[in-house]
Amino acid sequence: ELIIRHTQWVATGGRQGKQMVMNEIDFRKGPGLGGQSLTAMRANKCTFAEMDLRGIQLQGSNLDDSDFRKCSMQSADLRGARFRGAMMQRANLSRTNMNPLILKKPDGVIYHIPCRLEQAGLRHAIFVGARLMEARFDKCDLAGADFTDCDLRGAVFTGAKIEGTIFDNAILEDAVFDEGKKP
């Protein structure tokens, strides 16, 4: 019921339905979320571990401190989502869109909202073929993560642990690393 109401809220620009705001919930006990449109959902400190979330749409969602360990999130739309402090070890994020969410206000002002993963645990996460322009990986644990064929233009890796991280064929133009650590 909450998913249906949230889907209405997204589809009508907030005129009908209700935004899903759920904190400290274990989503593994509910219906499958793969392919669902949950744009702008707020689900901080929630558990999604080992769930099949392929194709999910979480643009602009706040998911800070949530557990996504071993999740299948291939081809998800995560533009502008926040995963600060999230546990995402061994998550499969292949072909995800984690570019900035671009919003244009009625007065013409354009906002770029980057995907934020500061201090997230991303050991051995798989990002193969993902779009990650301007993503924030400050102070993340990325040891053993695979960024093969990723677009990382303008991404920020300051303070990140990148020992054993794979950047094969990744686009790193304007990406920011600690001095002497750029691959």
Side-chain angles (χ1 to χ4, degrees):
E1 183 182 332
L2 292 172
I3 292 170
I4 292 168
R5 290 172 60 197
H6 184 81
T7 303
Q8 285 178 325
W9 180 79
V10 171
T12 64
R15 290 185 300 282
Q16 294 177 0
K18 185 176 180 185
Q19 181 183 24
M20 189 181 309
V21 178
M22 302 181 77
N23 296 315
E24 299 182 28
I25 300 294
D26 188 341
F27 280 90
R28 298 173 299 179
K29 297 176 182 177
L33 298 176
Q36 293 287 337
S37 178
L38 300 174
T39 301
M41 177 173 85
R42 290 196 176 135
N44 297 309
K45 297 182 182 178
C46 290
T47 303
F48 300 88
E50 299 184 26
M51 287 183 72
D52 182 352
L53 301 174
R54 289 178 287 181
I56 195 167
Q57 296 180 39
L58 292 168
Q59 309 93 319
S61 293
N62 293 345
L63 302 152
D64 293 343
D65 299 311
S66 289
D67 184 351
F68 289 92
R69 289 174 296 169
K70 296 183 182 179
C71 276
S72 296
M73 298 176 78
Q74 299 94 316
S75 302
D77 189 344
L78 308 175
R79 290 174 293 145
R82 273 189 7 205
F83 296 95
R84 294 187 297 198
M87 294 182 292
M88 301 177 87
Q89 295 86 344
R90 299 190 185 281
N92 189 339
L93 296 144
S94 298
R95 299 175 312 283
T96 57
N97 185 354
M98 298 174 87
N99 280 342
L101 182 60
I102 299 171
L103 300 174
K104 185 175 183 180
K105 296 282 187 171
D107 62 3
V109 175
I110 297 174
Y111 292 93
H112 268 237
I113 303 168
C115 191
R116 304 190 71 101
L117 297 120
E118 294 100 328
Q119 298 179 343
L122 291 156
R123 273 183 179 262
H124 303 286
I126 302 166
F127 290 94
V128 175
R131 292 172 282 168
L132 297 147
M133 289 175 35
E134 300 176 26
R136 300 297 306 242
F137 292 101
D138 311 67
K139 299 180 182 174
C140 282
D141 184 352
L142 293 162
D146 188 349
F147 288 102
T148 299
D149 297 324
C150 288
D151 186 348
L152 291 160
R153 288 178 284 172
V156 179
F157 293 90
T158 54
K161 295 177 184 175
I162 58 171
E163 297 80 19
T165 303
I166 302 165
F167 289 98
D168 293 347
N169 204 36
I171 302 169
L172 295 170
E173 181 181 317
D174 298 323
V176 179
F177 291 85
D178 291 330
E179 190 162 335
K181 290 194 175 182
K182 187 169 184 176

